[in-house]
Amino acid sequence: MLTELHEVAANRVPEDAIRIDLKKIFAHRNIDVVMDEVKNVDFEGKKVVAEKATYEYDYLVLGTGSKPTFYGVEGAAEHTFKLWSYDDAVILKEQILKMFRLAAVEKDPQIRARMLTFVVVGCGFTGVEMIGELGEYKDELCRDFNIPKEDVKLYVADALPSLLPQYPVKLIEKAEKRLHKLGVEILTSTSITGVSADSVCLNEDSCIETNTVIWAAGVEGSDLMDTIDIDKKARNRVETNDKLQAINHEDVYVVGDNAFFIPEGHERPVPQMVENAEHSAATVAHNILAELNGKALKSYTPTFHGSMCCIGGKYGVAEVGTPSRMFAMSGFFAMFIKHFINVIYFIQVAGFNKVWTYAMHEIFHIRERRSFLGGHFAKSSPNFWLLPLRLFLGYKWLEQGIHKLPGVIADPSNIFLIPAKVSATSAASAWEGGADAAASTAADVTASASQAVEGAAQAAGEAVSQWGQALPVPEFISNIVNWSMDLMFYTPDGSFTVMAEIFQAAMVVGEVIVGLCLIAGLFTALSSIASIAMGLMIWASGMAPVEMLWYLAGGFATIGGSGSVFGMDYYVLPVLKKILEKTQVR
Ligand SMILES: Cc1cc2nc3c(=O)[nH]c(=O)nc-3n(C[C@H](O)[C@H](O)[C@H](O)COP(=O)(O)OP(=O)(O)OC[C@H]3O[C@@H](n4cnc5c(N)ncnc54)[C@H](O)[C@@H]3O)c2cc1C
């Protein structure tokens, strides 16, 4: 997940948070994932020459991405840290930590200052995201290593006169303000002229002493683009036609960063960004299938819906919309959009499992409050403390279910959980009292629906005195519920339908099952969600006593892992996970 490399480099999320296993993505699909490094392509012989083997092809799709470009700056390739792969991010993270660790015990002030100076080259998205993240991370490191914040120097430099030049001035100013707040010095209109192991030189006349220069100044085609013999344009991208076929090679398609294609009416090639990579992939897949089926190929028409740049975990700037109308946003909304888009991407590519772990890494397990939601969702305590609550909640549902079950079995047509059509409001709290009514009238299997209604209303009266008033329900919800109940549960003459009988039986059986599952700690998350859902249903129908509030609150509390403490989830969930991993369910 290249777009999140800076988060690993500055230790916001753990290393595994940005890895997506290709083999898992394609598990049980008709795709053979081969881990091998391609060294060259024999376009005439239709062969891909790789390190471990040579592969023949009918159609070839080139999608090898980019690598950093150094514009011939002396020492840049050798002495800078890159941010273009998982390994780069991990190496950079280790370097940052090492510099603080060494500086904490360094006596020589000059060496110490060099260790605590970090320079990012490039004020585009990658550079700004990296330095923003570092600005946030330094506070934690300073505290851990007992280093005053003022001793840490952070720079971001670029030859262009502005950072994030593709954004409107308003957003650029906001980004600058945020970076200043994080202690970053912005050096625009500053050319980098040379890099050595312990310095970076700017504009020929001055150098900054540092052990850590991070290169985020631009990209060119991957190493493979250097070796393959095919028509290339600016910075090693393969020139394509509008169908994304390489010029002079109709059986070779190009996707993502590798493609050099200027859409009609545009002056510049398609930008090297995720959205274009995804769109171009869809076009290429379509065109290969079309070729196989003898149908017409389609042209690639890229669309652009904006970009986001986060400056640390809590703040970001973004411009989103359509090519004709873009909306600028910052702060909470920009970060929300960024996470939302990542989630959509994960759903498409890696499945819900990845969405879950992403939410865990970014929000629920976030350290040091480095999330746009702060640390509010990340505080944790041992699940052990939830055990009594889970058992009690389970007991209460089981008690409710068992209390009502004999009535349902004796006479399923005796409806006591659904208010009578005539006076829905007077049936308030029949959920509790209705059970008694049902039990007492269960023997009378010939009781008509209208008698049951009276029983419910009567029971409601008892319940009100026992539990107090039913919880109020907003009128618009009552209207929706009444409308749907009219549709499903009442006949035109006001008696109950068969659906009402089925619903009531399902509710009672549901109470028993939820109760048992919570007590056993089996599928606790699902049971807790069911507890909340049943509580909300009872409330929406106007029959919830005040006591229902704690069924809801208890349900929320037990969702997250309470079944793994003296519960069957402890044994069942790992087995289930293994089984799911082997199937297509992701
Ligand atoms: C730090 C960073 C932040 C970014 N942030 C954003 C952002 O916020 N928004 C945005 O839109 N874009 C962003 N980008 C750009 C975006 O990641 C790329 O445009 C996108 O990943 C391109 O997709 P791709 O499939 O063409 O190439 P890649 O995603 O780079 O995939 C290429 C794959 O090919 C493999 N490969 C390369 N050479 C070989 C070989 N010889 N043999 C076998 N395999 C090979 C690579 O290992 C890699 O897995 C960012 C990039 C970086 C580095």
Side-chain angles (χ1 to χ4, degrees):
M1 186 70 180
L2 289 185
T3 57
E4 318 302 313
L5 291 182
H6 55 281
E7 297 185 20
V8 165
N11 203 20
R12 167 144 62 106
V13 297
E15 290 164 21
D16 65 339
I18 59 163
R19 299 182 72 175
I20 310 175
D21 188 340
L22 288 175
K23 293 205 172 184
K24 269 192 194 164
I25 290 178
F26 296 111
H28 296 276
R29 295 174 187 217
N30 195 12
I31 290 168
D32 189 4
V33 179
V34 177
M35 308 308 283
D36 201 349
E37 186 172 344
V38 178
K39 296 292 185 187
N40 211 336
V41 179
D42 171 3
F43 293 107
E44 294 309 312
K46 293 192 163 214
K47 284 181 192 142
V48 171
V49 183
E51 212 167 63
K52 296 181 197 161
T54 295
Y55 308 88
E56 293 187 354
Y57 67 81
D58 295 312
Y59 292 93
L60 175 66
V61 181
L62 288 171
T64 59
S66 309
K67 67 177 181 186
T69 189
F70 300 100
Y71 307 103
V73 173
E74 203 180 317
E78 300 85 349
H79 299 298
T80 58
F81 290 85
K82 328 293 178 296
L83 194 61
W84 204 259
S85 71
Y86 169 80
D87 291 337
D88 291 345
V90 174
I91 290 168
L92 183 53
K93 173 171 132 172
E94 283 164 3
Q95 164 73 5
I96 294 166
L97 198 60
K98 184 170 131 196
M99 287 300 105
F100 274 83
R101 195 182 295 130
L102 292 177
V105 292
E106 179 56 54
K107 304 261 180 334
D108 184 322
Q110 195 181 353
I111 298 175
R112 183 176 179 276
R114 201 189 296 146
M115 288 171 173
L116 294 177
T117 299
F118 299 84
V119 180
V120 173
V121 180
C123 284
F125 289 113
T126 307
V128 169
E129 289 196 328
M130 185 60 228
I131 198 71
E133 209 71 47
L134 198 50
E136 212 172 75
Y137 184 32
K138 73 155 192 322
D139 292 352
E140 184 188 337
L141 288 167
C142 286
R143 198 190 56 225
D144 288 353
F145 292 99
N146 205 10
I147 290 171
K149 280 187 207 174
E150 318 75 75
D151 292 2
V152 180
K153 301 281 180 260
L154 302 178
Y155 300 96
V156 62
D158 202 299
L160 293 175
S162 157
L163 53 78
L164 302 175
Q166 51 281 76
Y167 277 160
V169 177
K170 203 170 76 180
L171 280 188
I172 293 172
E173 285 171 357
K174 286 189 175 181
E176 285 175 347
K177 200 171 154 196
R178 185 68 180 187
L179 286 177
H180 287 146
K181 199 174 164 195
L182 292 170
V184 177
E185 196 170 325
I186 302 165
L187 307 171
T188 42
S189 304
T190 303
S191 292
I192 308 302
T193 51
V195 186
S196 70
D198 52 17
S199 73
V200 53
C201 293
L202 320 162
N203 288 342
E204 305 283 356
D205 51 5
S206 68
C207 292
I208 297 173
E209 289 203 7
T210 172
N211 293 123
T212 315
V213 180
I214 303 164
W215 195 263
V219 296
E220 62 180 48
S222 69
D223 285 338
L224 184 66
M225 296 295 114
D226 291 336
T227 51
I228 55 174
D229 182 20
I230 200 164
D231 288 344
K232 281 166 269 177
K233 281 255 168 133
R235 293 204 222 140
N236 260 346
R237 294 166 77 181
V238 178
E239 197 180 359
T240 74
N241 61 20
D242 63 328
K243 311 291 187 294
L244 294 179
Q245 290 162 310
I247 303 293
N248 300 326
H249 294 279
E250 287 197 349
D251 53 353
V252 177
Y253 285 87
V254 192
V255 289
D257 282 10
N258 283 166
F260 182 95
F261 168 63
I262 302 179
E264 208 179 306
H266 289 68
E267 285 172 8
R268 296 168 64 82
V270 175
Q272 290 162 297
M273 298 188 78
V274 171
E275 191 173 6
N276 295 319
E278 285 189 71
H279 285 171
S280 60
T283 304
V284 166
H286 173 276
N287 284 349
I288 292 176
L289 275 179
E291 276 204 66
L292 292 173
N293 296 323
K295 295 195 174 146
L297 308 195
K298 72 176 176 191
S299 296
Y300 176 45
T301 43
T303 49
F304 184 60
H305 295 98
S307 59
M308 301 110 222
C309 178
C310 48
I311 306 171
K314 301 176 200 164
Y315 188 86
V317 287
E319 210 186 23
V320 287
T322 60
S324 56
R325 182 86 176 90
M326 283 286 169
F327 298 93
M329 50 183 77
S330 59
F332 180 89
F333 293 108
M335 293 304 281
F336 177 81
I337 291 281
K338 169 138 184 144
H339 287 298
F340 179 73
I341 284 171
N342 278 347
V343 165
I344 300 288
Y345 175 70
F346 285 137
I347 290 174
Q348 289 170 350
V349 175
F352 285 98
N353 208 2
K354 181 67 197 169
V355 175
W356 174 255
T357 52
Y358 179 74
M360 287 293 138
H361 291 309
E362 295 284 343
I363 295 168
F364 295 107
H365 292 165
I366 200 77
R367 297 177 319 103
E368 301 283 327
R369 304 181 177 186
R370 288 170 70 182
S371 151
F372 75 123
L373 298 171
H376 289 289
F377 292 83
K379 293 283 171 228
S380 61
S381 58
N383 282 339
F384 176 76
W385 305 118
L386 293 171
L387 180 63
L389 179 62
R390 190 194 88 211
L391 293 176
F392 187 57
L393 185 63
Y395 161 74
K396 291 294 283 182
W397 277 121
L398 188 61
E399 187 193 33
Q400 285 297 334
I402 286 180
H403 197 42
K404 294 165 196 159
L405 200 55
V408 174
I409 293 169
D411 180 9
S413 66
N414 177 20
I415 304 295
F416 50 85
L417 279 185
I418 301 169
K421 183 175 168 58
V422 276
S423 57
T425 45
S426 68
S429 292
W431 176 68
E432 282 286 347
D436 298 330
S440 62
T441 54
D444 183 6
V445 288
T446 56
S448 68
S450 57
Q451 281 172 317
V453 167
E454 279 166 27
Q458 196 186 344
E462 289 164 21
V464 166
S465 62
Q466 190 181 351
W467 298 106
Q469 286 297 317
L471 291 170
V473 182
E475 204 179 325
F476 77 95
I477 292 183
S478 294
N479 290 341
I480 295 171
V481 172
N482 289 340
W483 173 80
S484 54
M485 291 209 300
D486 276 349
L487 204 66
M488 293 187 299
F489 297 156
Y490 306 120
T491 59
D493 66 0
S495 54
F496 289 109
T497 61
V498 179
M499 272 296 284
E501 291 174 26
I502 295 170
F503 175 81
Q504 176 174 276
M507 273 297 277
V508 173
V509 172
E511 287 174 2
V512 173
I513 292 175
V514 166
L516 286 173
C517 281
L518 286 170
I519 290 169
L522 179 65
F523 304 128
T524 318
L526 285 180
S527 311
S528 302
I529 291 168
S531 171
I532 296 166
M534 291 194 306
L536 285 176
M537 244 183 331
I538 293 164
W539 166 74
S541 64
M543 297 192 298
V546 177
E547 195 200 5
M548 183 52 65
L549 285 177
W550 86 256
Y551 281 73
L552 291 171
F556 276 109
T558 52
I559 287 180
S562 66
S564 58
V565 179
F566 296 116
M568 289 175 70
D569 282 350
Y570 181 83
Y571 305 99
V572 172
L573 292 190
V575 177
L576 208 60
K577 201 173 165 205
K578 270 191 192 157
I579 295 171
L580 288 180
E581 274 171 6
K582 286 187 194 152
T583 68
Q584 266 186 315
V585 184
R586 290 184 285 138

